[in-house]
Amino acid sequence: DTEVTQTPKHLVMGMTNKKSLKCEQHMGHRAMYWYKQKAKKPPELMFVYSYEKLSINESVPSRFSPECPNSSLLNLHLHALQPEDSALYLCASSRPIAGAMNIQYFGAGTRLSVL
Amino acid sequence: SQQGEEDPQALSIQEGENATMNCSYKTSINNLQWYRQNSGRGLVHLILIRSNEREKHSGRLRVTLDTSKKSSSLLITASRAADTASYFCATDEGMKTSYDKVIFGPGTSLSVIP
């Protein structure tokens, strides 16, 4: 099973809403990632979890709150977002082999629209 | 900061022709990867080339890496309409950690016309 599952596929929310994005993998990967991708742009790294610990936060605004409850799950909690946060949010996972950039397995993404 | 940069930004070819995309990067790397993304979908890994390799093949894909010039190229031979997608090179920062700080190039949008 080389699948990373993201839910929901689409999300529309108002600026005062609270919502969560969910990501799940069962490949035994211990590194998980959140990326944000705007139209016609490459994915931009937001957060990295390694062994369920937050390892990288790329200066993401606090209205985005990541959570890694266990080695298979990754959540992204959203609160008080702005219209410019509308984007495709991608989750990825990789094997934790140090010293070698590992293949990343991506989910299909959540298309987020903030009204 | 942007690690990888690609050209061309967009490429349109006829089915059966070859497509070549180039990527340049700035710092030392462990390896370089190429990914494909169909419109609005997740990225799919295509091929990985290690920093001590110069060329690698996988089916209709050929990747080269020139670490002295900090550049790589992806060649897709005998293109098909199904190859229409965006292609991204991806590099790390040579970190020795159990996770990767991956930086994607701006990508090349490939259109293969039937």
Side-chain angles (χ1 to χ4, degrees):
Chain A
D1 182 6
T2 58
E3 191 170 294
V4 176
T5 303
Q6 286 188 247
T7 54
K9 288 187 175 15
H10 301 276
L11 179 62
V12 179
M13 60 186 290
M15 289 189 284
T16 58
N17 291 159
K18 285 185 182 181
K19 296 286 185 183
S20 296
L21 309 185
K22 181 179 172 182
C23 174
E24 191 167 4
Q25 57 88 14
H26 296 287
M27 294 178 278
H29 292 171
R30 301 306 293 273
M32 296 186 76
Y33 309 77
W34 280 116
Y35 291 88
K36 174 183 177 180
Q37 186 179 27
K38 302 285 270 185
K40 299 189 186 302
K41 297 290 186 182
E44 292 181 356
L45 184 65
M46 300 175 71
F47 302 104
V48 180
Y49 273 84
S50 175
Y51 291 91
E52 295 90 69
K53 287 186 169 46
L54 184 63
S55 299
I56 294 180
N57 175 342
E58 289 287 88
S59 303
V60 179
S62 59
R63 57 186 184 269
F64 295 90
S65 176
E67 178 196 20
C68 190
N70 60 56
S71 60
S72 300
L73 281 176
L74 186 66
N75 299 318
L76 186 62
H77 303 297
L78 315 173
H79 173 55
L81 294 193
Q82 304 296 310
E84 60 264 28
D85 296 322
S86 298
L88 181 68
Y89 288 84
L90 294 163
C91 172
S93 68
S94 69
R95 296 170 65 194
I97 299 178
M101 182 180 143
N102 297 284
I103 294 171
Q104 302 221 331
Y105 294 82
F106 283 82
T110 294
R111 174 73 61 188
L112 174 66
S113 297
V114 182
L115 304 179
Chain B
S1 63
Q2 188 163 282
Q3 171 76 310
E5 298 184 9
E6 289 159 85
D7 77 270
Q9 290 188 349
L11 181 61
S12 183
I13 59 175
Q14 295 289 327
E15 201 165 31
E17 294 180 338
N18 296 341
T20 299
M21 290 158 263
N22 302 297
C23 168
S24 61
Y25 58 93
K26 295 177 181 154
T27 65
S28 63
I29 59 173
N30 287 320
N31 59 49
L32 184 144
Q33 301 182 33
W34 286 88
Y35 287 81
R36 183 187 74 208
Q37 184 178 33
N38 289 83
S39 180
R41 304 285 295 172
L43 281 74
V44 175
H45 176 260
L46 293 176
I47 194 166
L48 177 154
I49 185 165
R50 302 189 190 285
S51 57
N52 61 355
E53 296 176 311
R54 292 296 167 260
E55 187 171 312
K56 198 159 183 182
H57 296 255
S58 176
R60 294 184 295 114
L61 305 180
R62 173 178 169 256
V63 169
T64 62
L65 179 64
D66 187 336
T67 52
S68 65
K69 295 181 180 177
K70 291 187 168 59
S71 67
S72 173
S73 68
L74 170 68
L75 169 67
I76 304 174
T77 60
S79 63
R80 305 166 182 168
D83 294 328
T84 294
S86 292
Y87 292 82
F88 297 95
C89 69
T91 55
D92 63 344
E93 292 183 340
M95 297 163 65
K96 307 294 184 186
T97 56
S98 60
Y99 54 87
D100 302 303
K101 185 174 180 180
V102 177
I103 302 175
F104 290 90
T108 293
S109 177
L110 174 66
S111 296
V112 181
I113 303 165

